[in-house]
Amino acid sequence: MLSVSIKRIKLGEINSERLLLENICFDLEPKKIFTILGKNGSGKSTLIKSLTGLLDKKYYSIDGSVIFEEEDILTLPQEILLQLRKNKIKYVFQDAANSFDPLKPLRYYFDIVNQKDELNSLLEYFFLPKQEELYKLYPYEISGGMAQRVSIVLSLLAHPKLLILDEPTSGIDSAIANLMLLKLKDFVSQGNSVLLVTQDIIFAEKISDKISYLSGGKLAPFYNTSEFFKISEYSDINFLKA
Amino acid sequence: MNILILISLKPETNMNDLLIAENISYSIEQVIKDFKLMTSRRLNEFASEKEILKNISFRVGKGEIMGIAGESGAGKTTLAKVVAGILKPSGGSIKFQSSGNWKKQKASPVQILFQNNGEILNPLRKINEVVEEAITARLLQTEGFKDSKRMGSIISEKEEKIFNAVNFPENLRQRKGFELSGGEQQRAALARILAVEPELLILDEPFSSQDAESQLNFLNLFKRINKEFGTAMICISHNLGILRKLCGKILIMYKGEIIESGSASEVLISPNHPYTKYLIKAEEYSLSSEELKQNFLKKQQGS
């Protein structure tokens, strides 16, 4: 599905650059949910942004490759990357509410969507208002939890092969997170993959097929979920259980 | 147990009965007699009535930490505002048995730390000035003395103690509100609240939108304040894991009612009410889509 081999990611000017991440190597397989755990500031968001060229080349230098459908994503031109992120690899960012333009009603984001039946069933699944009502709302009129759900609905409608989520449980209540968990499991069962980064260890344990841990700029190998929690090396992740 | 605050929003409850059960004497601080909680849905519409809280009755002892849990929309924040005297309930009474000297005009013995605490700090004032001002106001209220020399030393002593209690480093004290990060703002707001030496501190979702590490830091901070100042606390949160660690007693709210209450270990480990069971399962992310559906449908019918 996606084969990542990044030697290093650096930030800053040539002489005063800072090494952010090093030896990031993993393969994402279909039908599985992969989770990267890590503390605040460990570089989780940088890592997932680097996968589809979302890091600004002015500031970041990436040495490595990300192979998707037999092509190295990191060498693709911007227009193709844009298409890729629109169709095949979708992101759901942490502050979903802020990823909408506050001056446009939500209808704007659904205009590109053709599958009305699918839309309606997804809205119903996520307990969102009916299409006609939802379209009239502006992003500032909906709660953070609602914005998160709308963002996921939009991503699913594009039928991506890979869905990447940044801290999907932050700022939403656990019932909604629960709903999302079930939907994501359903999504991968159709042959797709999910990659998520989170600090929520209970969520990670429940949803993931494989888990890894990012710390000090280095990514541990992915282990099966049950094995991962047996490895004493990562016992310091228990603080995440706060 | 020494009772600090006693709340009953059931009009028919005899407060004496509640107190006799605990066998202590009390003084009436506040009895509220107006009977409607008005809510206006739009400013230009006539206010329409809606029952937001019902059958609420509980007490918080001195130095006790009580948790209130429930999903968003359960009425937790409304209840906090009623307890703090910001909103007046339509019926029932709130009795606060205060040990100190509180004149209502300046400071209240019940203080709230709100969720978006950045907004309650004046962004253009220095933090130490804000805290000093609050300490001064409180001193004038309790002691009433004008000896400025002695007062100066008492103020700086108290200031030091408060800033240390909330882990607020020396180099940040001269900064203005807008120059601080979210976590620093929250600690500054807490320092400002502690300056008036509240007897009851209400924490409204103090852990939301924090990462796990700072959640743990704040949890320890609240415990320390409780120990050091003997401040009773009501902590509102939908995070059951944290309430379990912080609180001795817990109330579970659903649609404006307390549906279960008891010691935190009792309620959160072997719950009786189906809704509490649902909340605990939700926290573990082990609800089925059928269980989720039923709960959402119930909520929609109710509103």
Side-chain angles (χ1 to χ4, degrees), chain B residues 9 11 32-38 51 53 88-92:
Chain B
L9 301 182
I32 294 153
K33 279 187 181 139
D34 41 328
F35 270 82
K36 298 278 181 279
L37 182 58
M38 309 292 265
E51 211 169 18
L53 297 172
K88 295 212 173 213
S90 47

Side-chain angles (χ1 to χ4, degrees), chain A residues 36-44 167 198-202 205 212-216 228-229 231-242, chain B residues 207 210-220 239 241-242 245:
Chain A
I36 297 174
L37 286 168
K39 288 190 203 180
N40 246 24
S42 59
K44 304 190 295 292
E167 296 280 6
T198 184
Q199 305 204 24
D200 187 335
I201 209 162
I202 302 169
E205 199 171 355
S212 172
Y213 183 50
L214 185 65
S215 162
F228 178 84
F229 288 101
I231 300 168
S232 57
E233 207 183 314
Y234 308 123
S235 55
D236 68 318
I237 58 163
N238 283 322
F239 90 94
L240 289 170
K241 276 186 172 167
Chain B
F207 305 106
Q210 283 181 356
D211 61 71
E213 203 170 1
S214 38
Q215 281 182 354
L216 198 63
N217 289 340
F218 268 97
L219 176 77
N220 292 329
N239 188 332
I242 282 190
K245 289 196 170 106

Side-chain angles (χ1 to χ4, degrees), chain A residues 149-165:
Chain A
R149 281 177 281 165
V150 170
S151 194
I152 290 181
V153 167
L154 281 167
S155 294
L156 291 173
L157 285 169
H159 297 284
K161 290 265 167 257
L162 172 62
L163 191 58
I164 301 178
L165 302 104

Side-chain angles (χ1 to χ4, degrees), chain B residues 28-257:
Chain B
I28 296 174
E29 283 282 315
Q30 193 183 6
V31 177
I32 294 153
K33 279 187 181 139
D34 41 328
F35 270 82
K36 298 278 181 279
L37 182 58
M38 309 292 265
T39 61
S40 72
R41 296 192 60 195
R42 291 222 176 91
L43 280 173
N44 54 358
E45 272 178 9
F46 283 107
S48 60
E49 263 167 46
K50 193 180 160 195
E51 211 169 18
I52 293 170
L53 297 172
K54 50 195 164 190
N55 298 332
I56 304 281
S57 162
F58 63 88
R59 63 196 127 202
V60 180
K62 280 192 174 138
E64 195 179 9
I65 307 183
M66 190 185 78
I68 301 180
E71 274 175 296
S72 14
K76 305 189 295 285
T77 302
T78 309
L79 179 60
K81 287 181 176 168
V82 169
V83 174
I86 298 170
L87 291 175
K88 295 212 173 213
S90 47
S93 61
I94 294 169
K95 290 179 189 183
F96 191 80
Q97 197 189 14
S98 162
S99 54
N101 177 9
W102 296 94
K103 287 177 205 148
K104 287 231 169 91
Q105 307 90 304
K106 281 277 181 188
S108 158
V110 183
Q111 294 280 330
I112 298 195
L113 181 68
F114 282 109
Q115 206 167 342
N116 40 2
N117 39 73
E119 288 166 24
I120 66 165
L121 286 173
N122 184 335
L124 298 177
R125 286 190 68 193
K126 288 182 180 167
I127 301 304
N128 61 342
E129 280 173 19
V130 174
V131 173
E132 273 163 33
E133 184 186 65
I135 296 174
T136 315
R138 179 74 186 121
L139 271 179
L140 287 173
Q141 198 177 16
T142 48
E143 319 266 337
F145 57 75
K146 299 268 190 293
D147 180 353
S148 57
K149 265 190 194 163
R150 225 188 101 212
M151 212 158 126
S153 69
I154 294 180
I155 290 172
S156 47
E157 198 181 298
K158 287 200 174 197
E159 197 185 338
E160 190 61 30
K161 192 180 169 197
I162 289 165
F163 275 132
N164 286 339
V166 299
N167 271 338
F168 204 76
E170 197 120 28
N171 57 334
L172 295 181
R173 294 177 196 173
Q174 299 278 336
R175 295 223 188 140
K176 291 173 181 170
F178 77 95
E179 295 173 307
L180 300 173
S181 77
E184 287 159 3
Q185 279 180 348
Q186 190 159 13
R187 293 207 300 276
L190 196 57
R192 156 74 182 73
I193 284 169
L194 290 177
V196 294
E197 300 166 343
E199 292 181 44
L200 176 64
L201 176 58
I202 301 172
L203 308 163
D204 189 6
E205 296 281 5
F207 305 106
S208 75
S209 66
Q210 283 181 356
D211 61 71
E213 203 170 1
S214 38
Q215 281 182 354
L216 198 63
N217 289 340
F218 268 97
L219 176 77
N220 292 329
L221 188 67
F222 293 139
K223 278 185 173 172
R224 200 164 82 204
I225 288 166
N226 172 256
K227 229 176 163 181
E228 208 165 303
F229 297 86
T231 319
M233 294 181 187
I234 295 180
C235 180
I236 296 171
S237 177
H238 57 249
N239 188 332
L240 299 180
I242 282 190
L243 291 181
R244 209 174 268 139
K245 289 196 170 106
L246 181 67
C247 309
K249 202 159 84 179
I250 201 155
L251 304 178
I252 307 286
M253 286 185 70
Y254 180 61
K255 285 198 213 166
E257 274 183 278

Side-chain angles (χ1 to χ4, degrees), chain A residues 39-40 125 127 149 169 172-179 181-182 199-200 202-203 206 239-242, chain B residues 71-72 211-213 216 238 241-242 245 278-279 281-289 292-293 296 300:
Chain A
K39 288 190 203 180
N40 246 24
Y125 178 85
F127 304 103
R149 281 177 281 165
T169 61
I172 60 172
D173 69 36
S174 39
I176 304 286
N178 223 304
L179 208 57
L181 181 144
L182 295 168
Q199 305 204 24
D200 187 335
I202 302 169
F203 187 75
K206 267 270 144 43
F239 90 94
L240 289 170
K241 276 186 172 167
Chain B
E71 274 175 296
S72 14
D211 61 71
E213 203 170 1
L216 198 63
H238 57 249
I242 282 190
K245 289 196 170 106
Y278 167 85
L279 273 186
K281 259 184 127 176
E283 194 197 18
E284 292 164 355
Y285 304 115
S286 38
L287 289 170
S288 67
S289 50
L292 280 160
K293 198 171 173 179
F296 272 93
Q300 275 167 4

Side-chain angles (χ1 to χ4, degrees), chain B residues 255-269:
Chain B
K255 285 198 213 166
E257 274 183 278
I258 295 175
I259 48 138
E260 192 161 2
S261 66
S263 78
S265 52
E266 232 172 69
V267 172
L268 296 178
I269 289 162

